[in-house]
Amino acid sequence: MVTQLVEPTEKLVYQRPDSLAELYTHYCPGCTHGTAHRLVAEVLDELRLQNDTILVASVGCSVFSYKYFDVDAAEAAHGRACAMATGIKRVHPDKIVFTYQGDGDLASIGLAETMHAAIRGENITVIFINNAIYGMTGGQMAPTTLPGQETTSSPFGRDVRLTGNPIHVAELLAAIPGTAYSVRRSMHDARHVLQAKKAIQTAFTVQQQGLGFSIVELLSSCPTNWKMTPNEALSWVRDNMLPVYPLGDYKVPESLQSTKRGKRD
Amino acid sequence: MATGRIVIDVERCKGCELCLEACPQHVIEMGNFFNGKGYRPAMLVDPRHECTGCALCAVVCPDGCITVYRDVPAPKAQPVLKGVPA
Amino acid sequence: MSKELLKGNIAIAEAAVRAGCEAYFGYPITPQTELLEHMSSRMLELGRVFLQSESEVAAINMVYGAASAGARAMTSSSSPGISLMQEGLSYIVGSEVPAVIVDVVRGGPGLGNIQPSQGDYNQLVKSAGHGDYHPIVLAPANIQEAIDLTVLAFDLADVYRTLVFVVADGTLGQMMEPAELPPMRALRPRPEWALTGKGERPQNIISSIYLSADLLEAFNQKLQAKLALIAQREVRYEAYQLEDAEYVVVAFGTVGRIAKTAVQNLRRQGIAVGLFRPITLWPFPEKQLSELADSGRIKAFLVTEMNAGQMLQDVRLAVGRDVPVHFYGRMGGVVPMPEEIETALAELVNGNGRLPKTILEGKNGHPTR
């Protein structure tokens, strides 16, 4: 018998992760919410966590994230994702519980719930999208809006004398003993996207190891409300957000510090 | 240099052009047609087979519509050794 | 089992434990704090979930999370704390997850005081969150009933996947009397809709969002059908000496108990009075009151509450225009004495169904329409 072997001529290098649902998202073209979703889903796939993960979605542009991820999911009230996640995690300490929240949800209306989840050292992971604006309601000033940035509710530019300065969530939460992991990453180019993914992977690992509260702040774009093309918006993240929001590891558990740390650039 | 190809899910693509900017080989272009959602999707236009399968396009794609393949080099012919006992 | 001397708040807490409450979240507020304190040791002893939250807002959302995760979950608070929870209450109903909440009512508005009150009737029955729904509201009048209704609250919450309130007031929360606790039940298994990690099954989602108007209307119609079923099946009330009564006092909770003493005293004088005590404030025993009014025997109703006349509106709706409905209430944490209710009833009897002018002009009496 003669067997003819056919050599493979190509290999699969990258495909859409299983933890993302097949559904088309409602996000605007070029919105990095989609990128962040993909990264989280890739990490869930790679750590084989899809079947043991519970997502708590928030209110804002990412309100439908509960159906964009193919995992068990809840939709929390505005700002309350960390409280809801606490309830879920306390009932299922052996499951992976994460929230996906924007800056209005987490840093404005939900700051108390977020801070106290960190203070309790709640063993959950928070994916925090900072795009310096309220997206869903149409581009109002967020607590993360840059000084001087024009929004529909700061039409003359954010006046820090009237509204204060942008809130630095990663630094703020790093100061809390219950926080095990707090870093800031960006998604403005491929290299930074890959660094963001690594951080998300570390955050979930922190939770798997039961080390406490973990948060990854992701600098993101909002082309629609910034009134830019998607590529212009990414340049705006690089040129305007990075100087205000330095990337870096603000807190990393000692046991994980041997791994290569993200570069502050 | 490795070679490869990408497959873009044109119905999922929103035509944001982030992959165009990310592609170091400049082999992605916007299609001259509209998909079901009304966007001009990105397309691989690679007549000279310059795509390296680096996947940077997929890394920046917010909609997860790019699948990347890299060519596997054909195995080199094994030299036939004579006079060596089996 | 035998009776033991129990404080109301602690009896409710222990009843919840024995009913299989798996997760408790709460924030201290007088006059319900002993309930939280009891849970803080008891739940941990049993390896269950207890957490003192940073606020009532967080507490209700933790309950929402734990209930979504498939646990029997509860919180307890008092009036201003319940006001803070309103948003979460609505999400719980909108997502159809079961939850039990105990409200040990205190005087309002604002910070008010920590004395007993029934000023939360409207807050619980009429407006416990935005949207078209009522929670089930159970109103015990003594500690035994508080225990029994707490157990029932968990069962009703599960059967209908909805929000159930047990409403007590500071009197019931703080007083002690002999009562019997139920046997310890095993924790119930997780419902199939719960968030447990999807494993090999399709994804479960707990959400209250329906972006399309048609879908949201369809959900609301389903919700209304469920509420109609609850209204049909779950009405509970106490009818005391109503068989031959010509005058009926309508009161709930602690006041119902006080009014019963007044009725007993007047009965001893040969006066045909009775007590109608709603146990479910929602669903309200509307049909039963209506039938009573239609019997042709009742000369007048006297509604008495520790508020300005909140249940009064529901009684009037049920009774209609043919029989006069009068009101006697105390506010601000003042608990009426049996004699006050007795006097109001006696005046009603002497006035042949009308309250005399002196009572009408008094600060607590509301003139009939």
Side-chain angles (χ1 to χ4, degrees):
Chain A
M1 196 175 112
V2 177
T3 307
Q4 194 179 355
L5 288 175
V6 179
E7 291 292 335
T9 57
E10 60 183 14
K11 64 176 179 181
L12 184 64
V13 178
Y14 181 87
Q15 68 177 342
R16 190 181 165 80
D18 290 340
S19 294
L20 276 189
E22 276 303 306
L23 220 58
Y24 294 164
T25 71
H26 72 288
Y27 297 119
C28 303
C31 170
T32 45
H33 262 306
T35 314
H37 280 32
R38 220 194 59 232
L39 298 182
V40 171
E42 286 173 17
V43 168
L44 293 180
D45 278 13
E46 286 161 21
L47 297 177
R48 298 178 184 280
L49 292 175
Q50 183 184 7
N51 291 348
D52 295 305
T53 292
I54 301 167
L55 156 69
V56 181
S58 61
V59 173
C61 279
S62 60
V63 67
F64 291 121
S65 57
Y66 65 84
K67 57 182 180 186
Y68 297 151
F69 287 97
D70 185 16
V71 297
D72 269 11
E75 166 50 43
H78 194 26
R80 317 298 171 221
C82 279
M84 195 175 187
T86 297
I88 294 171
K89 184 72 178 184
R90 294 287 175 125
V91 172
H92 297 306
D94 55 333
K95 303 294 175 186
I96 295 297
V97 178
F98 79 101
T99 71
Y100 186 102
Q101 301 174 259
D103 40 20
D105 191 272
L106 183 146
S108 189
I109 194 168
L111 192 59
E113 284 75 14
T114 309
M115 296 276 288
H116 278 278
I119 289 165
R120 289 189 299 269
E122 213 65 59
N123 193 31
I124 60 173
T125 299
V126 174
I127 306 298
F128 170 46
I129 304 297
N130 175 358
N131 59 7
I133 207 157
Y134 278 80
M136 179 184 254
T137 45
Q140 293 76 33
M141 187 185 74
T144 46
T145 292
L146 305 187
Q149 185 183 341
E150 286 178 21
T151 71
T152 62
S153 60
S154 60
F156 311 112
R158 180 174 185 169
D159 182 346
V160 296
R161 290 170 308 174
L162 299 176
T163 62
N165 279 287
I167 181 170
H168 290 73
V169 170
E171 291 90 327
L172 189 69
L173 290 172
I176 294 172
T179 301
Y181 184 70
S182 181
V183 300
R184 182 180 295 118
R185 295 291 186 268
S186 176
M187 296 187 290
H188 67 272
D189 62 24
R191 180 166 69 91
H192 285 87
V193 169
L194 291 170
Q195 288 172 357
K197 178 178 171 182
K198 188 94 182 82
I200 293 168
Q201 190 171 38
T202 308
F204 279 100
T205 306
V206 165
Q207 184 179 166
Q208 277 184 303
Q209 295 183 359
L211 300 177
F213 187 84
S214 52
I215 177 167
V216 180
E217 175 174 345
L218 296 169
L219 301 186
S220 307
S221 65
C222 183
T224 299
N225 288 302
W226 294 354
K227 301 177 175 55
M228 296 174 193
T229 69
N231 275 309
E232 284 167 1
L234 292 187
S235 302
W236 197 87
V237 171
R238 182 191 64 217
D239 298 339
N240 296 283
M241 289 184 77
L242 287 188
V244 177
Y245 295 111
L247 305 185
D249 296 352
Y250 293 98
K251 195 167 195 181
V252 178
E254 260 179 42
S255 57
L256 295 173
Q257 276 175 4
S258 54
T259 59
K260 196 176 161 221
R261 294 180 63 165
K263 205 171 74 182
R264 292 192 189 199
D265 54 359
Chain B
M1 181 77 85
T3 53
R5 69 181 173 103
I6 60 171
V7 176
I8 298 172
D9 182 342
V10 291
E11 281 309 310
R12 195 179 284 285
C13 177
K14 292 172 183 163
C16 72
E17 306 188 7
L18 294 190
C19 53
L20 262 73
E21 198 82 1
C23 177
Q25 300 297 93
H26 309 292
V27 289
I28 303 176
E29 290 178 13
M30 302 316 288
N32 58 358
F33 65 96
F34 295 104
N35 68 13
K37 291 200 296 279
Y39 297 117
R40 284 178 191 277
M43 297 179 71
L44 176 70
V45 181
D46 190 16
R48 288 185 298 221
H49 201 32
E50 289 169 307
C51 173
T52 62
C54 71
L56 290 181
C57 53
V59 166
V60 298
C61 175
D63 292 284
C65 22
I66 303 179
T67 309
V68 183
Y69 299 93
R70 203 171 291 161
D71 296 335
V72 176
K76 285 176 185 162
Q78 293 293 315
V80 180
L81 301 174
K82 286 179 182 171
V84 176
Chain C
M1 287 296 196
S2 61
K3 287 192 177 184
E4 50 194 308
L5 191 62
L6 292 166
K7 187 171 188 170
N9 282 334
I10 290 166
I12 292 173
E14 185 58 26
V17 167
R18 297 187 184 197
C21 174
E22 190 184 348
Y24 174 95
F25 306 90
Y27 186 84
I29 180 171
T30 311
Q32 67 80 44
T33 304
E34 296 87 352
L35 205 164
L36 171 137
E37 287 173 340
H38 183 79
M39 288 306 217
S40 70
S41 59
R42 197 71 174 108
M43 295 294 272
L44 295 186
E45 255 171 45
L46 294 165
R48 301 184 193 175
V49 177
F50 168 85
L51 183 58
Q52 182 173 324
S53 60
E54 64 270 27
S55 67
E56 287 90 348
V57 175
I60 193 66
N61 285 285
M62 289 171 183
V63 167
Y64 182 24
S68 301
R72 277 194 156 179
M74 79 176 285
T75 183
S76 59
S77 189
S78 180
S79 314
I82 300 293
S83 301
L84 270 174
M85 292 183 187
Q86 294 254 339
E87 179 198 39
L89 304 180
S90 185
Y91 276 71
I92 285 168
V93 173
S95 308
E96 298 196 280
V97 296
V100 171
I101 299 166
V102 179
D103 180 8
V104 185
V105 184
R106 59 188 256 182
L111 200 49
N113 62 21
I114 56 171
Q115 311 301 322
S117 165
Q118 294 181 325
D120 280 10
Y121 182 93
N122 282 346
Q123 173 168 234
L124 302 185
V125 174
K126 310 284 185 185
S127 61
H130 60 285
D132 274 310
Y133 69 88
H134 301 275
I136 297 174
V137 184
L138 307 173
N142 57 57
I143 291 177
Q144 186 61 58
E145 198 172 48
I147 291 168
D148 298 344
L149 291 181
T150 300
V151 176
L152 178 69
F154 281 98
D155 292 342
L156 292 178
D158 271 352
V159 168
Y160 298 106
R161 286 177 64 177
T162 195
L163 187 61
V164 183
F165 272 100
V166 177
V167 54
D169 57 55
T171 319
L172 206 55
Q174 298 295 323
M175 69 191 266
M176 294 183 82
E177 64 182 343
E180 186 178 324
L181 285 162
M184 181 71 92
R185 280 199 210 164
L187 299 182
R188 69 134 160 74
R190 308 242 178 271
E192 59 181 14
W193 49 260
L195 306 179
T196 57
K198 80 185 191 85
E200 300 305 317
R201 63 161 165 74
Q203 157 194 50
N204 277 346
I205 291 173
I206 299 292
S207 164
S208 60
I209 186 170
Y210 299 86
L211 211 54
S212 131
D214 289 340
L215 290 180
L216 184 54
E217 187 180 51
F219 169 74
N220 268 285
Q221 283 164 344
K222 186 182 140 206
L223 183 59
Q224 291 305 314
K226 179 165 85 175
L227 295 175
L229 185 67
I230 296 172
Q232 185 194 322
R233 300 206 307 211
E234 303 300 343
V235 169
R236 287 168 171 79
Y237 62 98
E238 180 189 4
Y240 181 71
Q241 304 216 333
L242 287 180
E243 298 76 18
D244 59 343
E246 292 177 358
Y247 296 89
V248 176
V249 55
V250 187
F252 72 93
T254 302
V255 184
R257 178 181 182 144
I258 297 166
K260 191 183 255 183
T261 307
V263 167
Q264 286 163 351
N265 291 344
L266 290 173
R267 278 278 172 180
R268 266 184 234 115
Q269 297 168 35
I271 301 171
V273 296
L275 167 71
F276 188 94
R277 180 172 68 87
I279 294 172
T280 49
L281 302 185
W282 198 90
F284 191 71
E286 190 182 344
K287 184 164 159 278
Q288 291 74 10
L289 259 181
S290 176
E291 284 168 2
L292 194 60
D294 290 345
S295 68
R297 191 182 66 240
I298 312 300
K299 291 184 177 159
F301 288 91
L302 178 74
V303 178
T304 105
E305 301 177 71
M306 287 192 284
N307 57 40
Q310 298 188 18
M311 182 178 69
L312 172 67
Q313 310 302 327
D314 283 330
V315 175
R316 281 189 170 152
L317 280 172
V319 166
R321 302 189 67 86
D322 294 338
V323 184
V325 178
H326 297 276
F327 179 72
Y328 180 81
R330 301 301 302 260
M331 295 176 286
V334 179
V335 181
M337 300 299 285
E339 295 73 27
E340 294 174 52
I341 298 172
E342 213 176 305
T343 305
L345 267 173
E347 298 282 1
L348 204 57
V349 172
N350 295 337
N352 199 23
R354 298 213 153 272
L355 277 179
K357 209 163 177 293
T358 49
I359 292 221
L360 289 180
E361 286 171 353
K363 61 181 172 165
N364 301 314
H366 285 224
T368 185
R369 51 177 181 263

